[in-house]
Every structure is written in structure tokens, then in C-alpha cells.
Amino acid sequence: MKCTIKDIAKEAGVSITTVSLVLNNKPCRVAVQTRENIIKISKRLHYKPNSTAKALVTKKTQTLGLIIPDISNPFFSELAKGVEMEAQKNNYHIIFCNSNQNGKKDLTNLELLISKQIDGLIISTSLNNSDTKYINQFNRLIFENELPVVAVDRKIPNKNYDTVSLDHREGGFLATMHLLELGHRKIGCITGPTDSDSANERYKGYIDALSLYDVPHDKSLVYHGDYQINSGIEGCEELIKKGVSAIFACNDMMACGAIRQARLMDKIIGKDISIIGFDNISICEILDQPLTTIHQPVYEMGKNACELIITLINEPRSKNQLIKFLPTLIKRATTNTYIED
Amino acid sequence: MKCTIKDIAKEAGVSITTVSLVLNNKPCRVAVQTRENIIKISKRLHYKPNSTAKALVTKKTQTLGLIIPDISNPFFSELAKGVEMEAQKNNYHIIFCNSNQNGKKDLTNLELLISKQIDGLIISTSLNNSDTKYINQFNRLIFENELPVVAVDRKIPNKNYDTVSLDHREGGFLATMHLLELGHRKIGCITGPTDSDSANERYKGYIDALSLYDVPHDKSLVYHGDYQINSGIEGCEELIKKGVSAIFACNDMMACGAIRQARLMDKIIGKDISIIGFDNISICEILDQPLTTIHQPVYEMGKNACELIITLINEPRSKNQLIKFLPTLIKRATTNTYIED
DNA sequence: GTGAAAGCGCTAACAG
DNA sequence: CTGTTAGCGCTTTCAC
């Protein structure tokens, strides 16, 4: 039932070498007739080469590892899609591992993937700057095994691998500029968690834009959130009390919370108050008042990371790349021109 | 740098057999001292067994294939998470493939996965009943390679593999019963696409509930949608005109559309009209008026599918299983007691 | 207690 | 144009 290269060789009355040569389209002069015969037989027998055996000798598994914090997070599932689609196109397979925001798991997953002889790794790490012990072990493993690595979204501490990420600062800038251009001057900001680099960058972009418009940076208009819906609600309440006419929420979840709260306070969104989010999660469009937000080209980032790792595999000495994608503004219904009251 | 069993053997001054024995904890009498020495050396050298080589001899790769239509769909990413978490627990890895709703890709993906010697397959197929040619090839491949298979959510046409799915009919029933119990009698239904089994089942559940309450099934109160937001909008408009006091939308996307439309028509949701969805996608909670809906335990389904495939791998003769998960009602803010006007 | 040797399915020199 | 042979890294009988 299961047939190997041997069975075909026997059936065709040739050596396994010849079969291997033919089936791999090697530039080798095999008589057209033998060639066709071998192909015919391999089809009849439904021959499927054993990639495990092949990998053992070629040292190439055509398999990539993908380590992410959580596949059920829309950001990462979209990323995974981009990676996988590109991989499929290039005859690679993806083994994915959830690390569950647990830095230690990044390490154990890496060990297992190395055991599996992956050709390259794409990782959005869960390692924190404080996990020194794991970080060192992680980097040593990569080094010892000469494993090509591409970091996505978050860089690996203490080491500069090729990286694909988003320019979060530019995103924060874009969002705030949009509000400024609409005439708003008293603009509140609900930030993300302070230990997140990307959240901090978004916040920096907000400051950048304000200073470009010579708007003094009033720290009392900054509410420190945690990317969860509740901090959107609480932040919004506080900021409205302080009289802001617009709010930049550093992610869409918090923007949703802000909308909810603003309505509760009888504000009409897009009139009494403008709200802009960040991420462009799918829900933004579905809302009965679609959310203005900053879009991250996540799919493209995944695709790109995959392209990059494949290049790295084929040209190990290619120079280190640091690709930053640019976010874009998606204007929808929650932001509008400032009207003095 | 990369070290094999041989290196350890040489270093320890023993044969590779002994090393293999020790490192695999084989019930073999190896002197405690040699044993400890081998373990120490393998640690020092950071030995990582080559699973490719191991697989070649054991015929087990500890790898599972996961074929799904689209990882970026929240349903499937949640499913994938359940599968992967359980796999990790059992020392299996997951190779995932998107088929992009393309039945033919199910086939090519399967071929590649077989080449990779996966131990088992979990699949939510994109094959339609009409793809006879591919279906037959698909089923033949599985059979010839004696590959353990678990179908999730959607069954593979023409063949009864072990299956993990949701009782969609019960879900439709639950949703409609909820509305009936609230006193509604003129209940509209926005269905899913007619070629989707699960959509049809949900609709059947709606009919079941109506008949239980002796409410005649008025076909004019059924709007045939396609699971997209727009059919929710259009369906809602039509149904409101027909004077329904409640709507069962067969998925949450359409329910969102319905809410949008109802508001546009100046109806107060939960008062003038009750709306219930299906799926419990994450957005339901975030909405400023959280959606009442039917929850599918997707994560558990993934976990279960993984458990099932592992059982199947270990006990190939275990009897065919057909696991149906039960949906649950999540009461939130969009449904309420019927008030006569 | 430990080792020699065969072999998993395949590729790749090297011969002929 | 085709076959012989060695070997990838590991497990597993069987012998010592």
C-alpha cells in the first residue's frame, strides 16, 4: 500500500538512483523512455516521497517554525495567515506554537522546533526584557544551531535579528495629526501598558504631532490604560470631565470602551467628541458607527516575514534587515471637525 | 557545534546504543554511573535529538496536520488554539494549512502532509458535496495511507470519520426558545446560506421551537441571508416592516447588521425589538449594547478533536466517535420581554 | 551491562 | 545513460 522509491525501482526494473534522479527532475541524462515509465509507475502506485528520509540527508525539512503568543488573537491569526500563504507558495510548511505570553515557553518551543530540524524561525516573542536567563539561553540556542530567525512585531531582547515590525510611532502621529487637522486642540490620549514598547511608541507619536502643532503637552490629558476595554471606559470618563474634544485611544478595544462611555454621558460621537482608535480590528467596520482608526498591514507583515526568512535560509550571509511597515489612517464615522460650543 | 548521539558516545566512551538507551529511559540495565555520565555529557553538549532521524525509524513524527479554511477567521483561530494547546500537552506539534475555502487545496495539502509523515489529521474541510472528484481522491488517500482523521465542524462528504461538531439545531432551538419564553410570538429569522449544513440546522432549530409553542411557521418571516453583515441589514428592514417583535439572526455578523438597521428605523433594541445572534464572536461583548447570542465552545471542540486524534493514533481500532457539543445561551442586552403596543 | 550491526527511505558521489 | 555504494542520525534486535 505505502510505496517507496524501492518499489518503483523494482517495478520499473531500474535502480533506485535512477528513480530518484527522475522524480527530482535532476539534470541528468536518463533515457526518455525509462523516465516516462518511472513517472507512470510512480503515479499508478500513488508514490509519495518520504520527506522525513529526504530531510535526513538533505538537512532541509522545508518546514518553518512560527512562535506567537496567542493564535486566537486576531492580530496573530492574521499574521499567521500571511506567513502560511506565502509559505505555501514556496513549498514550506508551518509548525505553529502558542507561547501564551509565557517567555519560558518560547524557549521550550524553540528547543522542540530545533529538534524537529526546522529550516527557519519566525517569532513574535513573549520574552520580557527582565527574563534575562531565558533570553540568554534562547539566543545561545539560535546561535549554536545557526538557525535563521525573523522577529515580528516584537524584537528579541539583547540581539538584533532580522525584524519585521510596524512603525507604531508614525501610527500615533498619524492618529493625532488627523485630530489636529480636524481642528481639535484639547486632545486626550488613552495609552497602552507602559511595559509595551509598541504602546510607548504610539504615545510618542501623539506627542510628536502635538508639538508639530505647537500644542503644549498637557500630561493631565493622558490616561494610562492597559489595552483593555475597561480602561477605555474609565479613561474616557476622566478625559471628558477634563473637557477634551477628541480622544486618541491607543488601541481599538479601548476606543470601543470610550465610545460606550461617551454615549453614556450623552455625548454624540463625531459631534460632541471625536474618537480614534488603533489596530483596525474587524469589529471597527461592523459597529453601527464605524470607528476611525489606524490600520496595520498585518497580513503583509506576515507575508513579508516569511519571504525574509526564506531569503535568509537561502543566503545565510545576506545583510541584516529591519523592515518597518507604515500604518495608514482609516477615516470612518467617529471623528469629525471640531465645533466650538 | 551541532551534536549527535555519536558525539556523546565518543565523549562518554560508550556505544551509541547505550546512549540511545539512556536518553530514552529505556528499561535497560545500564550502570547508574554510565547513565549519569551520559546525561551529564548530553546536557553539557546541549544535545537535541534529531527527530527527523528518529521518525524515520519509529514511523512516528509526533506531528499532526491541521487543515482549515482560514486561520484569520476567529472561529478557526480559536479552534486552532484549542488543538495546539492540547497537542503541546501531549508532545505533538501542529502543521497548519489554510485551504482558503478551496476544496482542491484540501487535497494538495493532504498530499503534502502525508509526505511529511504526519501521525494524524484534523480537518475542517472546504470540500463541497459537489466536488466528487476531489472527494474520492481525498478519501482514497486517507485510506491508502491508513491516516487517522478527525473532522471538525464540517464532515467530509461520503465518508464517516470521527467527528467533533456542534449541535447547531439545538442552538437554533435555544435561541428561539429564549425569544418565545420572553413572550415573543412574531419572530423573524435571518438564515445563513442554504448550502451550509450548519446554517440549515440552525434554521431547523428555529422551526422546532416554534412548533413546540404551537406558533405557526410563517415563511414570510424568514429572510434568506448569507452570513454577511448586509443580509442582516436587509433582512431586518424587511422583517420589521412585517411587524416582527423579535429576530433570530443565524450568526452574529448578521445580528450586528440587524441592530444597525433597527436603530436606523428608530427602534430601541431590547424594547421595540429583540435581537439574538449566534456564534458569540468576541465583538458581542464589546458592543455598547452587548448582544444576546448562542455560544459555541470552540476552544473545547479543538481540544477535544486533538484528544480524539491522539486516541485514534494510539488505538487505531477504537470505535468511531461522533461528538456533538452543546451550545449555550448567553443572555445580554439585546433581548427583553415582549411588550404589546 | 554493553556493543555490533542492520536498517528506516532517501540523496549524491563515483564508477562503469 | 544507469548502477553501486556510502551515509544522514537514530532505534532495535541479538550477541557477548
Side-chain angles (χ1 to χ4, degrees):
Chain A
M1 210 106 242
K2 274 209 184 179
C3 98
T4 75
I5 203 171
K6 250 190 212 161
D7 301 319
I8 298 184
K10 206 192 296 172
E11 186 85 7
V14 297
S15 79
I16 58 166
T17 311
T18 314
V19 178
S20 173
L21 253 27
V22 170
L23 262 24
N24 287 303
N25 284 310
K26 279 289 156 68
C28 169
R29 325 94 318 176
V30 175
V32 188
Q33 220 181 359
T34 8
R35 153 164 276 127
E36 280 175 353
N37 191 234
I38 288 174
I39 292 178
K40 209 172 64 195
I41 293 175
S42 83
K43 279 209 178 121
R44 179 157 52 76
L45 265 41
H46 301 125
Y47 172 68
K48 302 266 172 302
N50 181 328
S51 5
T52 274
K54 185 167 181 168
L56 188 55
V57 14
T58 60
K59 314 262 179 228
K60 292 265 166 266
T61 51
Q62 296 295 117
T63 303
L64 268 21
L66 174 66
I67 300 181
I68 49 182
D70 176 8
I71 188 73
S72 72
N73 175 322
F75 177 88
F76 293 113
S77 65
E78 183 73 19
L79 187 83
K81 186 176 182 185
V83 171
E84 203 273 337
M85 297 300 261
E86 185 63 22
Q88 228 175 85
K89 225 172 69 188
N90 292 277
N91 263 300
Y92 277 88
H93 271 136
I94 302 293
I95 295 185
F96 89 95
C97 308
N98 283 310
S99 55
N100 265 314
Q101 335 269 10
N102 177 343
K104 189 177 174 186
K105 274 229 174 154
D106 274 359
L107 188 60
T108 55
N109 279 325
L110 174 64
E111 285 177 343
L112 289 167
L113 289 172
I114 286 177
S115 236
K116 281 250 159 101
Q117 314 296 117
I118 51 166
D119 296 337
L121 174 69
I122 297 175
I123 179 168
S124 186
T125 191
S126 294
L127 251 9
N128 290 314
N129 294 312
S130 56
D131 294 334
T132 357
K133 194 175 124 207
Y134 300 137
I135 293 170
N136 290 339
Q137 284 189 52
F138 185 95
N139 287 325
R140 190 168 41 67
L141 260 178
I142 302 272
F143 175 76
E144 283 181 357
N145 293 277
E146 299 173 62
L147 184 67
V149 174
V150 168
V152 190
D153 192 44
R154 303 194 47 198
K155 76 183 285 293
I156 314 279
N158 299 352
K159 199 77 172 50
N160 291 318
Y161 299 109
D162 287 51
T163 303
V164 173
S165 64
L166 186 90
D167 193 332
H168 294 278
R169 185 162 184 169
E170 174 70 14
F173 179 75
L174 237 49
T176 314
M177 282 298 282
H178 173 62
L179 298 173
L180 286 163
E181 282 163 1
L182 288 172
H184 298 278
R185 289 298 175 272
K186 201 155 182 186
I187 301 173
C189 179
I190 306 178
T191 71
T194 40
D195 61 349
S196 150
D197 289 341
S198 59
N200 292 332
E201 291 294 308
R202 292 175 189 187
Y203 175 48
K204 279 186 201 158
Y206 160 80
I207 299 175
D208 290 347
L210 289 183
S211 71
L212 197 74
Y213 264 72
D214 291 322
V215 176
H217 174 214
D218 179 354
K219 287 217 170 143
S220 74
L221 298 187
V222 176
Y223 180 89
H224 289 283
D226 59 3
Y227 276 169
Q228 302 301 310
I229 188 161
N230 265 332
S231 50
I233 294 176
E234 289 154 17
C236 179
E237 182 173 12
E238 201 170 305
L239 294 174
I240 284 183
K241 281 184 189 155
K242 287 184 177 150
V244 301
S245 70
I247 292 177
F248 164 39
C250 283
N251 80 353
D252 288 339
M253 282 288 255
M254 297 194 298
C256 288
I259 289 176
R260 201 145 126 184
Q261 179 62 26
R263 284 200 179 136
L264 218 64
M265 293 167 86
D266 284 325
K267 299 285 179 190
I268 295 173
I269 318 284
K271 186 160 163 275
D272 305 329
I273 190 159
S274 283
I275 295 177
I276 186 169
F278 202 119
D279 283 347
N280 195 25
I281 60 180
S282 63
I283 145 171
C284 299
E285 261 183 308
I286 302 172
L287 294 171
D288 56 331
Q289 194 172 358
L291 180 69
T292 297
T293 191
I294 300 295
H295 171 73
Q296 304 196 47
V298 190
Y299 181 90
E300 286 72 22
M301 287 168 66
K303 181 169 145 58
N304 208 270
C306 190
E307 284 169 356
L308 189 52
I309 194 76
I310 292 175
T311 316
L312 241 48
I313 291 169
N314 297 324
E315 305 155 27
R317 310 252 149 273
S318 60
K319 69 172 193 298
N320 205 277
Q321 290 204 282
L322 226 152
I323 303 175
K324 280 225 173 190
F325 274 77
L326 287 179
T328 48
L329 172 74
I330 309 277
K331 166 92 177 81
R332 284 194 276 242
T334 56
T335 50
N336 235 319
T337 322
Y338 173 63
I339 306 164
E340 230 158 329
D341 29 29
Chain B
M1 210 106 241
K2 272 209 186 181
C3 99
T4 74
I5 201 170
K6 249 189 214 163
D7 302 321
I8 299 184
K10 206 191 296 172
E11 187 85 8
V14 298
S15 78
I16 59 167
T17 311
T18 312
V19 178
S20 172
L21 253 27
V22 170
L23 262 24
N24 288 301
N25 283 311
K26 279 288 158 64
C28 169
R29 326 92 319 173
V30 174
V32 188
Q33 218 182 1
T34 6
R35 153 165 276 127
E36 279 174 353
N37 191 231
I38 288 174
I39 292 179
K40 207 171 65 197
I41 293 175
S42 81
K43 279 209 178 121
R44 179 156 53 75
L45 266 39
H46 302 126
Y47 172 68
K48 301 267 172 299
N50 180 328
S51 3
T52 276
K54 184 166 182 170
L56 188 56
V57 12
T58 59
K59 314 265 179 224
K60 291 265 167 266
T61 51
Q62 296 293 117
T63 304
L64 268 20
L66 174 65
I67 300 180
I68 49 181
D70 175 9
I71 188 74
S72 72
N73 175 322
F75 177 88
F76 293 113
S77 64
E78 183 74 19
L79 188 82
K81 185 176 184 185
V83 170
E84 204 272 338
M85 297 301 261
E86 184 63 23
Q88 226 174 89
K89 223 172 69 187
N90 292 276
N91 262 300
Y92 277 89
H93 271 137
I94 302 292
I95 296 185
F96 89 96
C97 309
N98 283 310
S99 56
N100 265 313
Q101 332 272 7
N102 177 344
K104 190 177 175 184
K105 275 229 173 151
D106 274 359
L107 189 60
T108 56
N109 279 327
L110 174 63
E111 285 178 342
L112 289 166
L113 289 172
I114 286 178
S115 237
K116 283 249 160 106
Q117 313 296 115
I118 51 167
D119 295 338
L121 174 69
I122 297 175
I123 179 169
S124 186
T125 192
S126 295
L127 250 10
N128 289 315
N129 293 312
S130 57
D131 295 334
T132 357
K133 196 175 123 205
Y134 300 136
I135 294 170
N136 291 338
Q137 285 189 52
F138 185 95
N139 287 326
R140 192 168 38 68
L141 259 177
I142 301 273
F143 175 74
E144 283 181 359
N145 293 277
E146 300 172 60
L147 183 67
V149 174
V150 168
V152 190
D153 192 44
R154 302 195 47 197
K155 76 184 284 292
I156 314 278
N158 301 350
K159 200 80 171 53
N160 292 318
Y161 300 108
D162 287 51
T163 303
V164 173
S165 64
L166 185 90
D167 194 332
H168 294 276
R169 185 164 184 166
E170 175 70 14
F173 178 77
L174 238 49
T176 315
M177 282 298 283
H178 173 60
L179 297 173
L180 287 163
E181 282 165 0
L182 289 172
H184 298 277
R185 288 299 175 270
K186 201 158 181 183
I187 301 172
C189 179
I190 306 178
T191 71
T194 41
D195 62 348
S196 150
D197 288 342
S198 60
N200 293 332
E201 291 295 307
R202 293 174 188 187
Y203 175 48
K204 277 186 203 158
Y206 160 80
I207 300 175
D208 290 348
L210 289 183
S211 71
L212 198 73
Y213 264 73
D214 290 322
V215 176
H217 175 213
D218 178 354
K219 287 216 171 144
S220 74
L221 299 186
V222 177
Y223 180 88
H224 289 283
D226 59 3
Y227 276 167
Q228 303 300 312
I229 189 162
N230 267 331
S231 51
I233 294 176
E234 289 154 16
C236 179
E237 181 172 13
E238 201 171 305
L239 293 174
I240 285 182
K241 281 182 187 155
K242 286 183 178 152
V244 300
S245 69
I247 293 177
F248 165 40
C250 282
N251 79 354
D252 288 339
M253 283 286 254
M254 298 194 298
C256 288
I259 289 176
R260 203 145 125 184
Q261 179 61 26
R263 284 199 179 137
L264 219 64
M265 293 167 86
D266 285 326
K267 299 285 181 189
I268 295 174
I269 316 284
K271 185 160 163 276
D272 304 329
I273 189 159
S274 284
I275 295 177
I276 185 170
F278 202 119
D279 283 346
N280 195 25
I281 59 181
S282 62
I283 143 172
C284 299
E285 260 184 309
I286 303 173
L287 294 171
D288 55 331
Q289 193 172 359
L291 180 69
T292 297
T293 190
I294 299 295
H295 171 74
Q296 304 196 48
V298 190
Y299 181 90
E300 286 72 23
M301 287 168 66
K303 180 167 145 60
N304 209 269
C306 190
E307 284 170 355
L308 189 50
I309 194 76
I310 293 175
T311 316
L312 240 47
I313 290 169
N314 297 325
E315 306 156 25
R317 309 254 149 271
S318 60
K319 70 171 191 301
N320 204 276
Q321 290 205 282
L322 226 152
I323 302 174
K324 281 224 173 191
F325 274 77
L326 288 180
T328 48
L329 171 74
I330 310 278
K331 166 92 177 82
R332 285 195 275 242
T334 56
T335 49
N336 234 319
T337 321
Y338 173 64
I339 305 163
E340 229 157 327
D341 26 31

